[in-house]
Amino acid sequence: MKRIEREKVIRNAYRSTILALTICCFFLGTVLVIHEAAREYEVKVLEKRLEAKGVVQNDEGLFGSVQLFLPEEIYVASGVTLELYNSQISSLGERIGNYNVKWTCAVGKNMYRKFSVTGTDELTGNYPLIFTIFDDNGAQVAKASTELRIVPAVTDSFSLLTIGDSLSCDPATYERLNELTDGQIVYMGTRGVGGSLTEARRGFSAADYLSDAGYTEEEPEEEVHPFYNEETGSFDWEYYKETTGFEPDAVEVFLGTNGLSEDPVENGDNIARIVRNIHETDPKLPIYLVHTLYPANQDGIGSWSSQDGYALYGDRYKLDEDRKVFSLMLYLEEVLKEEECLYFVPAGMCHDSANNFETVSVPVNPHSEEMIEVPTNAVHPGRAGYRQIADCLYSVICGTKAEWEQ
């Protein structure tokens, strides 16, 4: 009897031990789940903080999403001051102001929001130029480098045909080019801007030049632009030359603003098709591909409206628009990197989008007497902006013209 009772006690103790162990395991498992959930929450909070600073953690590392871009070389012609703006060589846009940055070069000025250099005959030569971003602890976040080339001014005559949109329709660009070259450029095209001939059309995109689009923005109106060949059903450089008789020494392609999108592929491929079509007929013809401009600040984007008061960019914001420009610049550089006789003009990163747009004084609120300056246009700069574009184009031409004159 005692033996039976003893076995019963042992069995009950065994069951109690198993039950206790099970409860402990369940408790520990619950603690681990709660701990893991808490850790994941902390990680998400950290990621949100980093994202707010313009940094997103990914598989490439803590700062893997910060992209910088500088072309392989930056040309500065003697007599020209060229500037590179920090926010316009980075995917961070204006949020680069949350970081510490510096430019390193034997010449030029390492300034708060830009690098500035003036070309002179005495400084003619090549200089390494490095751009570095640091966090608040002094740790390096990202770095990009290029070769700064200060080159002599162009002194001989050449002809230029511009294919563009409204950013090529302001006479200030051509006036500045004439000033820099002492009037040595012969402009070609079927349309006029001031006293210069071009093929620039307001509102046109690369897709329009590839189609049978007409033009009614200005006189003379066109049922279809002169690059379109009905037989081929597309842009046709050979057809254009045959029908107009123009044989330029160089071509400028300045497109991209019309057609900007978060995905740069369609717009970029259309621009690339125009470049390649020209080179199918004239493989040695130099083409200067100008990167489009970054827009005005958010006040300019938000305030830009039609004559009837309708918002033109009602749902857009500065960072998103900046990234569209940055992505298109990177895409074009990648898909056309093997194209011979093609020269990129980095006007997008060399144009002061913070200060070059025309402004108007408005009250800070409807009942205040305090006034602020607000850009009147989000896309088209004032005179100073077009002159900066001309400086950039002229510098690249000065640095590369000897290549296509051989």
Side-chain angles (χ1 to χ4, degrees):
M1 187 70 180
K2 290 181 179 181
R3 184 175 63 81
I4 295 173
E5 290 178 353
R6 198 164 48 246
E7 290 177 353
K8 184 177 181 181
V9 169
I10 291 172
R11 283 196 300 270
N12 289 338
Y14 177 78
R15 292 193 183 105
S16 297
T17 301
I18 295 298
L19 179 61
L21 289 172
T22 301
I23 292 172
C24 286
C25 289
F26 178 81
F27 176 77
L28 288 174
T30 303
V31 169
L32 289 173
V33 169
I34 294 174
H35 179 269
E36 181 64 21
R39 190 189 70 82
E40 291 179 358
Y41 174 78
E42 290 176 355
V43 169
K44 288 181 179 179
V45 170
L46 175 60
E47 288 177 344
K48 287 182 179 179
R49 289 175 181 171
L50 292 173
E51 186 175 3
K53 291 182 65 178
V55 182
V56 180
Q57 186 171 354
N58 59 27
D59 294 337
E60 298 177 0
L62 186 62
F63 302 108
S65 69
V66 178
Q67 290 180 285
L68 299 178
F69 173 74
L70 286 172
E72 292 184 5
E73 53 269 318
I74 297 286
Y75 294 100
V76 184
S78 180
V80 167
T81 296
L82 202 73
E83 298 188 330
L84 301 169
Y85 296 91
N86 300 348
S87 63
Q88 292 164 192
I89 65 167
S90 166
S91 60
L92 294 171
E94 292 180 333
R95 291 197 290 179
I96 201 170
N98 295 330
Y99 297 86
N100 304 292
V101 302
K102 74 170 183 178
W103 292 91
T104 304
C105 191
V107 297
K109 302 173 184 177
N110 174 26
M111 304 179 76
Y112 173 69
R113 65 185 185 96
K114 64 186 180 182
F115 174 78
S116 179
V117 60
T118 300
T120 66
D121 292 338
E122 292 75 18
L123 292 177
T124 298
N126 301 339
Y127 305 88
L129 174 62
I130 303 171
F131 179 73
T132 314
I133 303 179
F134 303 93
D135 65 15
D136 289 338
N137 296 318
Q140 180 177 302
V141 174
K143 182 171 72 173
S145 62
T146 183
E147 185 171 68
L148 181 69
R149 297 186 177 183
I150 299 180
V151 296
V154 165
T155 58
D156 54 337
S157 176
F158 65 96
S159 57
L160 178 69
L161 187 146
T162 297
I163 302 171
D165 51 32
S166 56
L167 291 175
S168 301
C169 287
D170 194 285
T173 300
Y174 306 97
E175 291 170 5
R176 176 58 175 166
L177 287 172
N178 291 335
E179 181 182 313
L180 290 167
T181 62
D182 195 24
Q184 293 295 304
I185 300 178
V186 177
Y187 300 101
M188 294 184 173
T190 61
R191 307 197 65 84
V193 175
S196 305
L197 294 177
T198 76
E199 290 293 353
R201 291 166 176 80
R202 301 180 189 277
F204 254 48
S205 66
D208 291 318
Y209 279 109
L210 292 168
S211 72
D212 60 349
Y215 185 62
T216 59
E217 291 287 322
E218 301 168 300
E219 295 290 340
E221 296 185 355
E222 301 168 339
E223 291 186 7
V224 61
H225 62 83
F227 294 98
Y228 184 78
N229 184 351
E230 290 186 0
E231 292 185 5
T232 61
S234 187
F235 179 99
D236 190 328
W237 176 250
E238 185 174 14
Y239 170 81
Y240 172 84
K241 291 202 307 176
E242 289 175 353
T243 55
T244 64
F246 291 130
E247 288 277 356
D249 294 321
V251 171
E252 174 195 4
V253 176
F254 192 0
L255 296 166
T257 290
N258 301 309
L260 269 181
S261 173
E262 292 181 4
D263 185 350
V265 173
E266 181 177 358
N267 196 14
D269 284 351
N270 287 337
I271 295 172
R273 282 179 62 189
I274 291 174
V275 170
R276 288 169 177 151
N277 182 275
I278 294 172
H279 275 165
E280 284 177 6
T281 299
D282 291 323
K284 297 300 181 181
L285 180 64
I287 299 176
Y288 290 89
L289 180 57
V290 184
H291 288 306
T292 198
L293 305 186
Y294 287 83
N297 62 26
Q298 186 60 50
D299 286 340
I301 293 172
S303 301
W304 195 26
S305 61
S306 68
Q307 292 181 348
D308 299 325
Y310 289 96
L312 294 176
Y313 274 9
D315 63 342
R316 303 187 186 185
Y317 63 100
K318 175 66 171 169
L319 178 60
D320 192 39
E321 296 306 300
D322 283 354
R323 284 181 170 170
K324 291 176 184 177
V325 174
F326 185 78
S327 297
L328 179 61
M329 178 171 61
L330 262 61
Y331 185 76
L332 287 171
E333 293 271 348
E334 177 61 27
V335 299
L336 290 171
K337 64 182 179 182
E338 303 298 333
E339 192 78 16
E340 295 182 359
C341 299
L342 176 67
Y343 306 98
F344 292 101
V345 179
M349 63 179 65
C350 296
H351 170 257
D352 189 357
S353 64
N355 296 293
N356 275 346
F357 291 90
E358 300 291 347
T359 62
V360 62
S361 295
V362 298
V364 295
N365 65 62
H367 301 285
S368 176
E369 295 182 358
E370 183 179 349
M371 307 295 285
I372 58 172
E373 294 293 318
V374 174
T376 58
N377 194 300
V379 171
H380 308 99
R383 181 177 176 81
Y386 289 110
R387 287 173 68 86
Q388 270 195 311
I389 296 168
D391 286 350
C392 190
L393 173 60
Y394 171 72
S395 292
V396 179
I397 291 174
C398 289
T400 58
K401 190 169 183 288
E403 296 179 13
W404 48 267
E405 285 183 319
Q406 296 175 355

